[in-house]
mmCIF file of all heavy atoms in Angstrom:
data_model
loop_
_atom_site.group_PDB
_atom_site.id
_atom_site.type_symbol
_atom_site.label_atom_id
_atom_site.label_comp_id
_atom_site.label_asym_id
_atom_site.label_seq_id
_atom_site.Cartn_x
_atom_site.Cartn_y
_atom_site.Cartn_z
ATOM 1 N N TYR O 183 144.259 92.886 98.749
ATOM 2 C CA TYR O 183 143.818 91.514 98.967
ATOM 3 C C TYR O 183 144.906 90.563 98.474
ATOM 4 O O TYR O 183 145.612 90.856 97.510
ATOM 5 C CB TYR O 183 142.528 91.226 98.212
ATOM 6 C CG TYR O 183 141.287 91.832 98.824
ATOM 7 C CD1 TYR O 183 140.647 92.917 98.223
ATOM 8 C CD2 TYR O 183 140.748 91.313 99.988
ATOM 9 C CE1 TYR O 183 139.513 93.469 98.774
ATOM 10 C CE2 TYR O 183 139.608 91.858 100.556
ATOM 11 C CZ TYR O 183 138.994 92.944 99.938
ATOM 12 O OH TYR O 183 137.872 93.493 100.496
ATOM 13 N N ILE O 184 145.032 89.424 99.130
ATOM 14 C CA ILE O 184 146.043 88.452 98.706
ATOM 15 C C ILE O 184 145.804 88.041 97.259
ATOM 16 O O ILE O 184 146.742 87.968 96.453
ATOM 17 C CB ILE O 184 146.023 87.221 99.628
ATOM 18 C CG1 ILE O 184 146.429 87.614 101.046
ATOM 19 C CG2 ILE O 184 146.952 86.129 99.104
ATOM 20 C CD1 ILE O 184 146.315 86.492 102.057
ATOM 21 N N SER O 185 144.556 87.787 96.913
ATOM 22 C CA SER O 185 144.251 87.343 95.552
ATOM 23 C C SER O 185 144.423 88.460 94.525
ATOM 24 O O SER O 185 144.616 88.182 93.337
ATOM 25 C CB SER O 185 142.829 86.793 95.479
ATOM 26 O OG SER O 185 141.899 87.736 95.970
ATOM 27 N N ASP O 186 144.358 89.736 94.968
ATOM 28 C CA ASP O 186 144.583 90.848 94.039
ATOM 29 C C ASP O 186 146.012 90.844 93.509
ATOM 30 O O ASP O 186 146.271 91.320 92.399
ATOM 31 C CB ASP O 186 144.308 92.188 94.728
ATOM 32 C CG ASP O 186 142.822 92.474 94.837
ATOM 33 O OD1 ASP O 186 142.024 91.654 94.330
ATOM 34 O OD2 ASP O 186 142.452 93.499 95.440
ATOM 35 N N THR O 187 146.949 90.322 94.297
ATOM 36 C CA THR O 187 148.339 90.268 93.852
ATOM 37 C C THR O 187 148.567 89.157 92.828
ATOM 38 O O THR O 187 149.681 89.029 92.311
ATOM 39 C CB THR O 187 149.284 90.051 95.051
ATOM 40 O OG1 THR O 187 149.019 88.768 95.642
ATOM 41 C CG2 THR O 187 149.089 91.129 96.091
ATOM 42 N N GLY O 188 147.533 88.356 92.565
ATOM 43 C CA GLY O 188 147.645 87.304 91.556
ATOM 44 C C GLY O 188 146.542 87.395 90.536
ATOM 45 O O GLY O 188 146.045 86.372 90.048
ATOM 46 N N THR O 189 146.135 88.620 90.203
ATOM 47 C CA THR O 189 145.005 88.819 89.294
ATOM 48 C C THR O 189 145.437 89.115 87.863
ATOM 49 O O THR O 189 144.803 88.675 86.903
ATOM 50 C CB THR O 189 144.118 89.976 89.809
ATOM 51 O OG1 THR O 189 143.601 89.617 91.095
ATOM 52 C CG2 THR O 189 142.968 90.256 88.866
ATOM 53 N N ILE O 190 146.536 89.851 87.698
ATOM 54 C CA ILE O 190 146.984 90.296 86.374
ATOM 55 C C ILE O 190 148.292 89.600 86.027
ATOM 56 O O ILE O 190 149.130 89.357 86.898
ATOM 57 C CB ILE O 190 147.162 91.830 86.352
ATOM 58 C CG1 ILE O 190 145.854 92.526 86.751
ATOM 59 C CG2 ILE O 190 147.611 92.319 84.978
ATOM 60 C CD1 ILE O 190 145.965 94.031 86.869
ATOM 61 N N ALA O 191 148.462 89.271 84.751
ATOM 62 C CA ALA O 191 149.726 88.683 84.297
ATOM 63 C C ALA O 191 150.832 89.729 84.416
ATOM 64 O O ALA O 191 150.592 90.922 84.245
ATOM 65 C CB ALA O 191 149.593 88.215 82.853
ATOM 66 N N PRO O 192 152.078 89.316 84.725
ATOM 67 C CA PRO O 192 152.552 87.929 84.841
ATOM 68 C C PRO O 192 152.435 87.324 86.240
ATOM 69 O O PRO O 192 152.654 86.136 86.410
ATOM 70 C CB PRO O 192 154.027 88.069 84.473
ATOM 71 C CG PRO O 192 154.411 89.428 84.987
ATOM 72 C CD PRO O 192 153.198 90.300 84.791
ATOM 73 N N GLU O 193 152.083 88.153 87.251
ATOM 74 C CA GLU O 193 152.095 87.619 88.611
ATOM 75 C C GLU O 193 151.022 86.555 88.831
ATOM 76 O O GLU O 193 151.177 85.678 89.681
ATOM 77 C CB GLU O 193 151.945 88.733 89.644
ATOM 78 C CG GLU O 193 150.672 89.522 89.550
ATOM 79 C CD GLU O 193 150.815 90.771 88.714
ATOM 80 O OE1 GLU O 193 151.781 90.837 87.925
ATOM 81 O OE2 GLU O 193 149.975 91.667 88.842
ATOM 82 N N LYS O 194 149.939 86.600 88.036
ATOM 83 C CA LYS O 194 148.901 85.589 88.223
ATOM 84 C C LYS O 194 149.396 84.200 87.825
ATOM 85 O O LYS O 194 148.927 83.198 88.380
ATOM 86 C CB LYS O 194 147.648 85.962 87.438
ATOM 87 C CG LYS O 194 147.720 85.755 85.937
ATOM 88 C CD LYS O 194 146.367 86.023 85.293
ATOM 89 C CE LYS O 194 146.392 85.759 83.805
ATOM 90 N NZ LYS O 194 145.058 85.995 83.174
ATOM 91 N N CYS O 195 150.332 84.147 86.886
ATOM 92 C CA CYS O 195 150.907 82.854 86.496
ATOM 93 C C CYS O 195 151.736 82.279 87.640
ATOM 94 O O CYS O 195 151.632 81.091 87.970
ATOM 95 C CB CYS O 195 151.768 83.014 85.255
ATOM 96 S SG CYS O 195 150.917 83.770 83.856
ATOM 97 N N LEU O 196 152.557 83.137 88.252
ATOM 98 C CA LEU O 196 153.368 82.720 89.390
ATOM 99 C C LEU O 196 152.491 82.343 90.575
ATOM 100 O O LEU O 196 152.701 81.309 91.222
ATOM 101 C CB LEU O 196 154.328 83.852 89.774
ATOM 102 C CG LEU O 196 155.254 83.625 90.963
ATOM 103 C CD1 LEU O 196 156.266 82.537 90.641
ATOM 104 C CD2 LEU O 196 155.979 84.914 91.334
ATOM 105 N N PHE O 197 151.489 83.165 90.839
ATOM 106 C CA PHE O 197 150.576 82.940 91.953
ATOM 107 C C PHE O 197 149.850 81.606 91.803
ATOM 108 O O PHE O 197 149.781 80.806 92.742
ATOM 109 C CB PHE O 197 149.573 84.097 92.000
ATOM 110 C CG PHE O 197 148.637 84.080 93.175
ATOM 111 C CD1 PHE O 197 149.054 84.523 94.419
ATOM 112 C CD2 PHE O 197 147.325 83.651 93.025
ATOM 113 C CE1 PHE O 197 148.183 84.530 95.501
ATOM 114 C CE2 PHE O 197 146.453 83.651 94.104
ATOM 115 C CZ PHE O 197 146.880 84.093 95.337
ATOM 116 N N GLY O 198 149.327 81.352 90.608
ATOM 117 C CA GLY O 198 148.581 80.128 90.370
ATOM 118 C C GLY O 198 149.437 78.885 90.468
ATOM 119 O O GLY O 198 149.063 77.893 91.107
ATOM 120 N N ALA O 199 150.618 78.934 89.829
ATOM 121 C CA ALA O 199 151.498 77.757 89.833
ATOM 122 C C ALA O 199 151.978 77.414 91.243
ATOM 123 O O ALA O 199 151.979 76.245 91.647
ATOM 124 C CB ALA O 199 152.691 78.013 88.912
ATOM 125 N N MET O 200 152.371 78.424 91.993
ATOM 126 C CA MET O 200 152.903 78.166 93.334
ATOM 127 C C MET O 200 151.809 77.715 94.297
ATOM 128 O O MET O 200 152.017 76.826 95.119
ATOM 129 C CB MET O 200 153.614 79.414 93.867
ATOM 130 C CG MET O 200 154.864 79.776 93.104
ATOM 131 S SD MET O 200 155.838 81.107 93.879
ATOM 132 C CE MET O 200 156.527 80.242 95.307
ATOM 133 N N LEU O 201 150.610 78.301 94.177
ATOM 134 C CA LEU O 201 149.537 77.896 95.079
ATOM 135 C C LEU O 201 149.007 76.502 94.756
ATOM 136 O O LEU O 201 148.533 75.793 95.643
ATOM 137 C CB LEU O 201 148.391 78.909 95.039
ATOM 138 C CG LEU O 201 148.541 80.157 95.901
ATOM 139 C CD1 LEU O 201 147.209 80.886 96.028
ATOM 140 C CD2 LEU O 201 149.058 79.827 97.292
ATOM 141 N N ASN O 202 149.075 76.101 93.490
ATOM 142 C CA ASN O 202 148.697 74.729 93.159
ATOM 143 C C ASN O 202 149.605 73.730 93.862
ATOM 144 O O ASN O 202 149.151 72.706 94.382
ATOM 145 C CB ASN O 202 148.752 74.517 91.643
ATOM 146 C CG ASN O 202 147.528 75.059 90.934
ATOM 147 O OD1 ASN O 202 146.427 75.039 91.479
ATOM 148 N ND2 ASN O 202 147.711 75.552 89.724
ATOM 149 N N PHE O 203 150.894 74.028 93.889
ATOM 150 C CA PHE O 203 151.829 73.147 94.591
ATOM 151 C C PHE O 203 151.595 73.228 96.097
ATOM 152 O O PHE O 203 151.752 72.228 96.811
ATOM 153 C CB PHE O 203 153.271 73.526 94.248
ATOM 154 C CG PHE O 203 154.285 72.549 94.771
ATOM 155 C CD1 PHE O 203 154.306 71.235 94.334
ATOM 156 C CD2 PHE O 203 155.206 72.946 95.718
ATOM 157 C CE1 PHE O 203 155.237 70.330 94.826
ATOM 158 C CE2 PHE O 203 156.148 72.055 96.220
ATOM 159 C CZ PHE O 203 156.156 70.743 95.769
ATOM 160 N N SER O 204 151.216 74.415 96.595
ATOM 161 C CA SER O 204 150.877 74.549 98.014
ATOM 162 C C SER O 204 149.698 73.645 98.368
ATOM 163 O O SER O 204 149.667 73.045 99.450
ATOM 164 C CB SER O 204 150.522 76.003 98.344
ATOM 165 O OG SER O 204 151.640 76.847 98.227
ATOM 166 N N ALA O 205 148.722 73.553 97.456
ATOM 167 C CA ALA O 205 147.574 72.686 97.704
ATOM 168 C C ALA O 205 148.006 71.226 97.814
ATOM 169 O O ALA O 205 147.492 70.480 98.659
ATOM 170 C CB ALA O 205 146.548 72.849 96.584
ATOM 171 N N VAL O 206 148.968 70.816 96.981
ATOM 172 C CA VAL O 206 149.482 69.447 97.050
ATOM 173 C C VAL O 206 150.189 69.204 98.379
ATOM 174 O O VAL O 206 149.984 68.175 99.042
ATOM 175 C CB VAL O 206 150.437 69.176 95.873
ATOM 176 C CG1 VAL O 206 151.102 67.799 96.006
ATOM 177 C CG2 VAL O 206 149.685 69.263 94.546
ATOM 178 N N LEU O 207 151.031 70.149 98.794
ATOM 179 C CA LEU O 207 151.720 70.029 100.085
ATOM 180 C C LEU O 207 150.725 70.001 101.239
ATOM 181 O O LEU O 207 150.905 69.267 102.211
ATOM 182 C CB LEU O 207 152.694 71.196 100.269
ATOM 183 C CG LEU O 207 153.947 71.208 99.397
ATOM 184 C CD1 LEU O 207 154.713 72.516 99.596
ATOM 185 C CD2 LEU O 207 154.848 70.021 99.736
ATOM 186 N N CYS O 208 149.663 70.778 101.116
ATOM 187 C CA CYS O 208 148.651 70.825 102.168
ATOM 188 C C CYS O 208 147.907 69.495 102.262
ATOM 189 O O CYS O 208 147.628 69.003 103.365
ATOM 190 C CB CYS O 208 147.677 71.969 101.892
ATOM 191 S SG CYS O 208 146.612 72.374 103.288
ATOM 192 N N ILE O 209 147.590 68.900 101.119
ATOM 193 C CA ILE O 209 146.931 67.587 101.113
ATOM 194 C C ILE O 209 147.815 66.557 101.804
ATOM 195 O O ILE O 209 147.348 65.761 102.636
ATOM 196 C CB ILE O 209 146.612 67.155 99.669
ATOM 197 C CG1 ILE O 209 145.501 68.029 99.080
ATOM 198 C CG2 ILE O 209 146.205 65.686 99.621
ATOM 199 C CD1 ILE O 209 145.251 67.796 97.611
ATOM 200 N N ALA O 210 149.101 66.561 101.467
ATOM 201 C CA ALA O 210 150.025 65.608 102.072
ATOM 202 C C ALA O 210 150.117 65.819 103.582
ATOM 203 O O ALA O 210 150.111 64.857 104.366
ATOM 204 C CB ALA O 210 151.407 65.750 101.433
ATOM 205 N N THR O 211 150.199 67.078 104.010
ATOM 206 C CA THR O 211 150.295 67.385 105.442
ATOM 207 C C THR O 211 149.049 66.942 106.195
ATOM 208 O O THR O 211 149.130 66.327 107.267
ATOM 209 C CB THR O 211 150.513 68.893 105.641
ATOM 210 O OG1 THR O 211 151.704 69.301 104.953
ATOM 211 C CG2 THR O 211 150.650 69.238 107.111
ATOM 212 N N ILE O 212 147.896 67.233 105.640
ATOM 213 C CA ILE O 212 146.633 66.866 106.288
ATOM 214 C C ILE O 212 146.484 65.345 106.354
ATOM 215 O O ILE O 212 145.997 64.800 107.359
ATOM 216 C CB ILE O 212 145.456 67.513 105.537
ATOM 217 C CG1 ILE O 212 145.455 69.027 105.797
ATOM 218 C CG2 ILE O 212 144.129 66.894 105.930
ATOM 219 C CD1 ILE O 212 144.524 69.810 104.912
ATOM 220 N N TYR O 213 146.902 64.648 105.302
ATOM 221 C CA TYR O 213 146.793 63.189 105.299
ATOM 222 C C TYR O 213 147.728 62.565 106.344
ATOM 223 O O TYR O 213 147.333 61.638 107.060
ATOM 224 C CB TYR O 213 147.121 62.635 103.914
ATOM 225 C CG TYR O 213 147.074 61.133 103.846
ATOM 226 C CD1 TYR O 213 145.855 60.453 103.880
ATOM 227 C CD2 TYR O 213 148.247 60.380 103.775
ATOM 228 C CE1 TYR O 213 145.809 59.065 103.832
ATOM 229 C CE2 TYR O 213 148.202 58.992 103.725
ATOM 230 C CZ TYR O 213 146.977 58.344 103.751
ATOM 231 O OH TYR O 213 146.937 56.971 103.711
ATOM 232 N N VAL O 214 148.952 63.067 106.434
ATOM 233 C CA VAL O 214 149.890 62.541 107.431
ATOM 234 C C VAL O 214 149.359 62.781 108.835
ATOM 235 O O VAL O 214 149.444 61.899 109.703
ATOM 236 C CB VAL O 214 151.288 63.184 107.254
ATOM 237 C CG1 VAL O 214 152.206 62.811 108.414
ATOM 238 C CG2 VAL O 214 151.911 62.730 105.943
ATOM 239 N N ARG O 215 148.794 63.951 109.070
ATOM 240 C CA ARG O 215 148.210 64.239 110.388
ATOM 241 C C ARG O 215 147.070 63.272 110.685
ATOM 242 O O ARG O 215 146.947 62.770 111.813
ATOM 243 C CB ARG O 215 147.707 65.687 110.419
ATOM 244 C CG ARG O 215 146.979 66.062 111.708
ATOM 245 C CD ARG O 215 147.878 65.958 112.921
ATOM 246 N NE ARG O 215 147.176 66.342 114.138
ATOM 247 C CZ ARG O 215 147.685 66.240 115.351
ATOM 248 N NH1 ARG O 215 148.906 65.767 115.522
ATOM 249 N NH2 ARG O 215 146.987 66.608 116.409
ATOM 250 N N TYR O 216 146.247 62.993 109.687
ATOM 251 C CA TYR O 216 145.144 62.040 109.865
ATOM 252 C C TYR O 216 145.672 60.651 110.235
ATOM 253 O O TYR O 216 145.169 60.017 111.172
ATOM 254 C CB TYR O 216 144.321 61.970 108.576
ATOM 255 C CG TYR O 216 143.405 60.780 108.496
ATOM 256 C CD1 TYR O 216 142.204 60.741 109.211
ATOM 257 C CD2 TYR O 216 143.743 59.677 107.716
ATOM 258 C CE1 TYR O 216 141.367 59.640 109.145
ATOM 259 C CE2 TYR O 216 142.912 58.567 107.640
ATOM 260 C CZ TYR O 216 141.724 58.562 108.359
ATOM 261 O OH TYR O 216 140.905 57.455 108.301
ATOM 262 N N LYS O 217 146.688 60.185 109.524
ATOM 263 C CA LYS O 217 147.258 58.860 109.794
ATOM 264 C C LYS O 217 147.910 58.820 111.177
ATOM 265 O O LYS O 217 147.843 57.806 111.875
ATOM 266 C CB LYS O 217 148.272 58.493 108.719
ATOM 267 C CG LYS O 217 147.688 58.317 107.326
ATOM 268 C CD LYS O 217 146.738 57.136 107.250
ATOM 269 C CE LYS O 217 147.443 55.820 107.356
ATOM 270 N NZ LYS O 217 146.527 54.666 107.195
ATOM 271 N N GLN O 218 148.536 59.912 111.579
ATOM 272 C CA GLN O 218 149.198 59.945 112.881
ATOM 273 C C GLN O 218 148.179 59.866 114.018
ATOM 274 O O GLN O 218 148.352 59.077 114.963
ATOM 275 C CB GLN O 218 150.030 61.214 113.013
ATOM 276 C CG GLN O 218 150.845 61.280 114.296
ATOM 277 C CD GLN O 218 151.678 62.541 114.386
ATOM 278 O OE1 GLN O 218 151.192 63.629 114.110
ATOM 279 N NE2 GLN O 218 152.935 62.402 114.753
ATOM 280 N N VAL O 219 147.133 60.662 113.943
ATOM 281 C CA VAL O 219 146.113 60.643 114.989
ATOM 282 C C VAL O 219 145.432 59.278 115.034
ATOM 283 O O VAL O 219 145.155 58.736 116.105
ATOM 284 C CB VAL O 219 145.074 61.756 114.749
ATOM 285 C CG1 VAL O 219 143.903 61.636 115.719
ATOM 286 C CG2 VAL O 219 145.726 63.130 114.884
ATOM 287 N N HIS O 220 145.190 58.704 113.856
ATOM 288 C CA HIS O 220 144.560 57.380 113.798
ATOM 289 C C HIS O 220 145.451 56.314 114.430
ATOM 290 O O HIS O 220 144.965 55.436 115.158
ATOM 291 C CB HIS O 220 144.261 57.014 112.349
ATOM 292 C CG HIS O 220 143.670 55.644 112.185
ATOM 293 N ND1 HIS O 220 142.374 55.348 112.550
ATOM 294 C CD2 HIS O 220 144.203 54.485 111.707
ATOM 295 C CE1 HIS O 220 142.131 54.071 112.305
ATOM 296 N NE2 HIS O 220 143.216 53.528 111.800
ATOM 297 N N ALA O 221 146.748 56.381 114.174
ATOM 298 C CA ALA O 221 147.669 55.385 114.732
ATOM 299 C C ALA O 221 147.823 55.538 116.240
ATOM 300 O O ALA O 221 147.995 54.547 116.957
ATOM 301 C CB ALA O 221 149.031 55.507 114.052
ATOM 302 N N LEU O 222 147.753 56.768 116.732
ATOM 303 C CA LEU O 222 147.906 57.008 118.163
ATOM 304 C C LEU O 222 146.640 56.672 118.949
ATOM 305 O O LEU O 222 146.702 56.435 120.156
ATOM 306 C CB LEU O 222 148.290 58.473 118.408
ATOM 307 C CG LEU O 222 149.689 58.890 117.963
ATOM 308 C CD1 LEU O 222 149.839 60.398 118.064
ATOM 309 C CD2 LEU O 222 150.762 58.201 118.797
ATOM 310 N N ASN O 223 145.496 56.671 118.274
ATOM 311 C CA ASN O 223 144.220 56.403 118.951
ATOM 312 C C ASN O 223 143.415 55.381 118.146
ATOM 313 O O ASN O 223 142.350 55.704 117.591
ATOM 314 C CB ASN O 223 143.410 57.699 119.098
ATOM 315 C CG ASN O 223 144.162 58.778 119.845
ATOM 316 O OD1 ASN O 223 144.118 58.843 121.055
ATOM 317 N ND2 ASN O 223 144.861 59.627 119.096
ATOM 318 N N PRO O 224 143.890 54.142 118.048
ATOM 319 C CA PRO O 224 143.205 53.161 117.193
ATOM 320 C C PRO O 224 141.834 52.750 117.704
ATOM 321 O O PRO O 224 141.001 52.297 116.913
ATOM 322 C CB PRO O 224 144.181 51.975 117.196
ATOM 323 C CG PRO O 224 144.934 52.102 118.480
ATOM 324 C CD PRO O 224 145.061 53.583 118.721
ATOM 325 N N GLU O 225 141.559 52.895 118.997
ATOM 326 C CA GLU O 225 140.301 52.429 119.572
ATOM 327 C C GLU O 225 139.407 53.555 120.069
ATOM 328 O O GLU O 225 138.343 53.303 120.638
ATOM 329 C CB GLU O 225 140.589 51.460 120.720
ATOM 330 C CG GLU O 225 141.351 50.208 120.288
ATOM 331 C CD GLU O 225 141.624 49.291 121.454
ATOM 332 O OE1 GLU O 225 141.274 49.672 122.593
ATOM 333 O OE2 GLU O 225 142.179 48.195 121.231
#
């Protein structure tokens, strides 16, 4: 399982830190997509 590779130290520290930043990048990507669709279809 993907999460099994981040269950035991030390890999869980790497897994957690990197995925937290992935969540930030994902939020930014989703927000930009939302703004783009909104700007292209205002009405």
Side-chain angles (χ1 to χ4, degrees):
Y183 285 108
I184 295 175
S185 54
D186 282 357
T187 64
T189 298
I190 303 175
E193 61 266 19
K194 75 174 183 179
C195 305
L196 179 67
F197 185 79
M200 294 188 72
L201 278 194
N202 280 327
F203 188 63
S204 293
V206 174
L207 289 173
C208 193
I209 290 172
T211 302
I212 289 169
Y213 178 73
V214 171
R215 175 62 179 174
Y216 164 77
K217 295 295 290 184
Q218 185 179 45
V219 172
H220 177 73
L222 291 171
N223 303 273
E225 299 179 357

